[in-house]
């Protein structure tokens, strides 16, 4: 696919290769040159008492909290009398735990002694008896109990954990799954303590890498119980503590519905299915593996999607050739019409608990790891991803 102008090509190259980064001022100037319409923002941002009030298209308004509202010194002072007991050390536990530790907060890890997570924590510098304990001892020591066990594990361990959540503690989730679907999970939070949620919008590895880059991931927060009258403040502060760059408010129910829906749709399941369908049609019509992969995955992830992320779909369209733009404009309504019923069915399946039940049924099986690995091996052995492994070796940064 060709970019429409030399200016657009240069800007795209800067975005993709990170060579000679452009200042924000120069970015705007370049965008104005390549856009067929003057740049207009439908989002208005007004600072209010250290937070931002955002209006979308002049209608819906949301309050956004930023990392700058909670600098490191303020975080340390806010949590100076607290022990943040993080239960579980999987993907989110790794990212959130190390970020809190680097922020100078008093965080401890609670996992099964000598299990895989215990060994992973040791490798990351957590010290037994100092900031690494078994689950029960960590909960007893903690004032904030951060339940970062897997969804299935939260359900299984809840009978042992709930009695330890005594008055004055704060219960923290990173996902609304367990309390929202409590009829299935049996996880019903106590009514006499604060219960909050912070949901980073990415994997724990991304939570960690963006924090180390000084950027911070976006995250949502929600409050289930506000016994102290400070639950919202606690959630906002802890969101920054675990590595968020900015935070917006939601509810436990909306968080879990949007999360399960999104990861099954555009974020993971949907995009994988679309990649496979396009790749297979190209191969069935005589295109080589390399050409099929480049036209399906490599150009999307290395060239076009970064532009969408940086400046939006309209800019990406405008930066491409007239032929590419015309085809995209003609065909996106066709895809929307075909796919919207699938997404409607998917959302209904999430909302009615079917996806939750399926997850619990599968992930609670004693051999679920072996079964999962078998499915992942199937994906690894697909031609498209074997080809991708070789194509990635050709990228300049890998030579």
């Amino acid at each position: 696919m060709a970019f429409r102008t030399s200016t657009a090509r240069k800007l795209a190259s800067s975005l993709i290769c990170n060579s000679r980064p452009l200042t924000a001022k120069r970015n705007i100037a370049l965008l104005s040159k390549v856009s067929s319409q003057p740049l207009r923002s439908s989002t208005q941002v007004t600072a209010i008492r250290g937070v931002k009030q955002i209006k979308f298209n002049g209608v819906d308004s949301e309050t956004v909290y930023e990392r700058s509202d909670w600098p490191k010194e303020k975080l340390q002072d806010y949590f100076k009398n607290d022990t943040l007991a993080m239960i579980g050390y999987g993907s989110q536990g790794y990212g959130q735990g190390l970020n809190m530790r680097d922020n100078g907060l008093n965080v401890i890890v609670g996992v099964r002694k000598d299990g895989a997570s215990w060994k992973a924590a040791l490798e990351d510098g957590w010290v037994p008896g100092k900031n690494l304990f078994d689950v029960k001892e960590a909960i007893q020591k903690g004032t904030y109990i951060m339940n970062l066990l897997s969804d299935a594990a939260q359900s299984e361990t809840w009978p042992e954990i709930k009695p330890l959540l005594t008055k004055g503690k704060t219960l923290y989730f990173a996902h609304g799954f367990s309390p929202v679907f409590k009829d299935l999970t049996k996880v019903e939070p106590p009514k006499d303590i604060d219960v909050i949620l912070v949901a980073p919008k990415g994997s724990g590895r991304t939570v960690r890498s963006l924090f180390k880059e000084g950027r911070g991931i976006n995250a949502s927060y929600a409050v289930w119980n506000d016994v102290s009258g400070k639950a919202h403040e606690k959630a906002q502060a802890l969101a920054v503590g675990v590595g968020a760059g900015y935070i917006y408010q939601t509810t436990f129910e909306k968080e879990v519905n949007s999360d399960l829906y999104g990861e099954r749709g555009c974020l993971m399941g949907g995009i994988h299915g679309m990649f496979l369908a396009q790749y297979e049609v190209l191969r069935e019509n005589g295109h080589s593996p390399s050409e099929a992969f480049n036209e399906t995955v490599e150009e999307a992830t290395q060239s076009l999607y970064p532009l969408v992320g940086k400046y939006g779909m309209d800019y990406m369209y405008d930066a491409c050739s007239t032929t590419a733009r015309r085809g995209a404009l003609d065909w996106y309504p066709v895809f929307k019409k075909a796919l919207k019923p699938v997404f409607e069915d998917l959302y209904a399946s999430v909302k009615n608990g079917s996806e939750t039940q399926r997850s619990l049924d599968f992930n609670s099986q004693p051999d679920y790891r072996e079964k999962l690995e078998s499915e992942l091996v199937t994906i690894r052995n697909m031609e498209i991803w074997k080809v991708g492994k070789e194509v990635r070796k050709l990228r300049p940064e890998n030579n």
Side-chain angles (χ1 to χ4, degrees), residues 360-396:
L360 290 173
D361 290 344
F362 181 85
N363 295 328
S364 61
Q365 296 175 28
D367 60 346
Y368 90 94
R369 291 185 184 275
E370 291 80 4
K371 291 181 177 178
L372 174 62
E373 180 59 22
S374 176
E375 291 184 275
L376 293 177
V377 166
T378 299
I379 293 175
R380 292 188 195 108
N381 288 332
M382 289 177 178
E383 182 185 274
I384 183 174
W385 303 119
K386 284 187 172 182
V387 173
K389 186 176 181 180
E390 298 306 313
V391 170
R392 286 191 293 274
K393 294 177 182 177
L394 302 176
R395 293 177 188 167

Side-chain angles (χ1 to χ4, degrees), residues 108-112 118 128-135 137-138 141:
I108 63 176
V109 174
V111 291
R112 181 171 58 86
W118 180 278
K130 178 183 178 182
N131 52 24
L132 178 60
F133 303 90
D134 65 29
V135 172
E137 188 173 2
K141 289 178 175 293

Side-chain angles (χ1 to χ4, degrees), residues 49-69:
R49 297 189 305 277
V51 298
K52 286 185 170 60
Q53 196 75 16
I54 301 181
K55 287 188 176 182
F56 297 95
N57 295 320
V59 181
D60 298 322
S61 179
E62 290 185 29
T63 300
V64 176
Y65 302 86
E66 296 183 295
R67 183 171 53 186
S68 58
D69 302 322

Side-chain angles (χ1 to χ4, degrees), residues 341-361:
V342 177
F343 279 94
E344 289 171 339
D345 290 345
L346 170 57
Y347 192 84
S349 181
V350 167
K351 192 170 183 178
N352 66 25
S354 296
E355 294 300 308
T356 295
Q357 187 65 65
R358 177 168 170 74
S359 294
L360 290 173
D361 290 344

Side-chain angles (χ1 to χ4, degrees), residues 181-247:
F181 294 108
K182 58 183 181 293
D183 292 341
L184 299 174
T185 65
K186 310 305 178 186
V187 176
E188 188 164 3
K191 293 182 171 59
D192 60 347
I193 64 173
D194 287 348
V195 180
I196 61 177
L197 173 148
V198 173
K201 298 304 158 185
S203 72
R205 301 288 163 177
T206 309
V207 171
R208 180 61 176 161
S209 63
L210 291 182
F211 175 84
K212 290 172 70 175
E213 291 172 14
R215 295 164 59 191
I217 197 167
N218 54 314
S220 61
Y221 88 90
V223 171
W224 185 274
N225 288 341
D226 186 7
V227 175
S228 68
K230 297 181 179 179
H232 288 268
E233 183 179 78
K234 290 179 178 180
Q236 294 158 19
L238 201 45
V240 175
V242 302
Y246 74 88
I247 312 104

